[in-house]
Amino acid sequence: MPELPEVETVRKGIKQLVQGKTIISVDVLWDRIIEYPDVCDFTQELIGQTILDVDRRGKYLIFKLSDADLISHLRMEGKYDFQEKSLVENPKHTHVIFHFTDGSQLSYHDVRKFGRMALVPKDTALSYKSLALLGPEPTEETFELSAFQEKLHYSSRAIKTQLLDQTTVAGLGNIYADEVLWEAKIHPERPANSLTKKEVIALHDMIIIVLDRAVKAGGTTIRSYTNALGEAGHFQVALNAYGKTGQPCPRCQTPIVKIKVGQRGTHFCPHCQQLKRRNAK
DNA sequence: ATTAATCCCTGGAGGC
DNA sequence: TGCCTCCAGGGATTAA
């Protein structure tokens, strides 16, 4: 599932392949992928537009076009593929194809059809729906400790749930939420407002560190991008908790446990990440 | 206003 | 082998 680091890797890959290309036609094979406007207008308005740049905000890709912004969210399994020449037959699960004037094409694939695209007026992507509500990017420069601390202070939800809420900080998904909580040694079910100042600082710092590390790892394979733009960059970073049910915690060897938090599968170390503080000795 | 539950989708895994 | 059920999950929507 693409989270911020994966989307960033996809962004770089797509950018170097399609920047400067002009759309000549668009095929939409599954209408519900297009959230706005209706498929007919979406297709028509894209014709003749040139891709000036490819940006990202949180987990959203933003294609900067000559006269519009195209927003694309990959959700669970969305992937982009690039072909130098149009394919006679498109693979299964191909839902949207952008044809360019030079004969090449960018196609969108999505087995579960959860991904969404929206075409909005030029330079308005960041104020479209939930993009306008996104929290800060998880970088040193933008992710302020004080705002994060305040957000947690007023929330009684489980910290894991709070981290998945994109208005807290943008870009964390189920994998990295588990990873940063493991790194910060915080139990995923701790109420957000029960974290000590020390824990909030540790969590804040780990969010920046873990995502930066993942972005850098994903970025190392960019040059090999010709196909499957959503695949590379996945699991380039070793995971410590997510998907490690029953395996020893890399810190203390206690088996990793899996529970449900807010309907989401959640992995943690019951020794390093305790719900109640042990009596200090 | 805040938060929790439901829904969208399909393929893969496990049971029998 | 094949049929059935269950599970995975980001974010929009609906409900409480």
Side-chain angles (χ1 to χ4, degrees):
Chain A
M1 55 227 71
E3 301 181 26
L4 187 150
E6 289 74 25
V7 177
E8 177 60 16
T9 304
V10 171
R11 182 193 73 78
K12 289 174 183 158
I14 290 180
K15 177 175 169 173
Q16 75 169 25
L17 288 168
V18 303
Q19 191 168 37
K21 294 193 187 285
T22 300
I23 296 168
I24 194 170
S25 67
V26 180
D27 295 329
V28 176
L29 286 62
W30 185 262
D31 288 3
R32 295 198 63 168
I33 299 290
I34 312 305
E35 179 182 282
Y36 181 86
D38 61 63
V39 174
C40 194
D41 288 344
F42 178 87
T43 305
Q44 285 303 312
E45 288 172 23
L46 280 171
I47 295 173
Q49 298 220 35
T50 300
I51 299 176
L52 305 178
D53 207 349
V54 185
D55 287 351
R56 178 192 59 73
R57 176 77 171 95
K59 302 176 204 169
Y60 294 86
L61 284 170
I62 303 170
F63 293 81
K64 304 296 287 184
L65 308 177
S66 43
D67 194 33
D69 284 355
L70 173 62
I71 301 165
S72 169
H73 197 300
L74 306 172
R75 292 282 179 90
M76 306 300 298
E77 302 193 8
K79 294 176 180 61
Y80 279 98
D81 272 281
F82 177 80
Q83 290 90 24
E84 285 293 346
K85 289 194 163 57
S86 278
L87 301 176
V88 178
E89 198 164 340
N90 288 292
K92 204 178 174 186
H93 307 306
T94 302
H95 304 311
V96 183
I97 307 164
F98 303 94
H99 299 275
F100 301 117
T101 50
D102 64 357
S104 61
Q105 67 176 37
L106 183 70
S107 53
Y108 178 75
H109 309 260
D110 192 339
V111 169
R112 290 189 189 163
K113 300 176 176 170
F114 276 10
R116 292 292 179 266
M117 293 183 194
L119 186 65
V120 300
K122 190 173 169 71
D123 299 328
T124 66
L126 295 182
S127 53
Y128 177 76
K129 290 195 175 178
S130 55
L131 273 83
L133 305 174
L134 287 176
E137 289 288 315
T139 65
E140 193 89 54
E141 302 74 37
T142 50
F143 186 28
E144 287 179 20
L145 176 64
S146 56
F148 181 56
Q149 191 174 10
E150 175 144 328
K151 197 93 178 169
L152 300 193
H153 179 72
Y154 289 108
S155 168
S156 57
R157 304 151 93 186
I159 184 63
K160 159 99 185 243
T161 305
Q162 191 64 39
L163 290 180
L164 290 176
D165 182 337
Q166 302 295 299
T167 68
T168 306
V169 56
L172 285 174
N174 209 35
I175 295 174
Y176 291 110
D178 283 1
E179 290 298 309
V180 298
L181 286 170
W182 180 86
E183 291 278 4
K185 302 182 185 175
I186 297 169
H187 190 291
E189 287 180 303
R190 289 274 302 283
N193 57 11
S194 76
L195 270 60
T196 64
K197 174 104 192 250
K198 216 170 168 180
E199 289 174 324
V200 173
I201 291 171
L203 187 54
H204 170 266
D205 292 353
M206 280 308 164
I207 289 170
I208 293 173
I209 290 167
V210 168
L211 289 191
D212 180 65
R213 193 194 295 157
V215 165
K216 290 201 167 94
T220 57
T221 56
I222 284 169
R223 240 166 307 212
S224 67
Y225 268 124
T226 53
N227 266 313
L229 290 161
E231 304 258 40
H234 250 188
F235 305 118
Q236 305 262 321
V237 178
L239 300 177
N240 294 301
Y242 184 86
K244 302 292 184 183
T245 313
Q247 295 181 43
C249 166
R251 264 192 309 247
C252 73
Q253 318 308 317
T254 303
I256 297 291
V257 168
K258 181 177 183 182
I259 59 172
K260 282 245 182 196
V261 179
Q263 325 294 101
R264 301 282 182 257
T266 299
H267 314 71
F268 71 103
C269 170
H271 177 74
C272 299
Q273 301 165 265
Q274 301 210 356
L275 200 48
K276 289 183 179 128
R277 207 168 316 160
R278 281 165 294 165
N279 294 325
K281 261 231 157 149

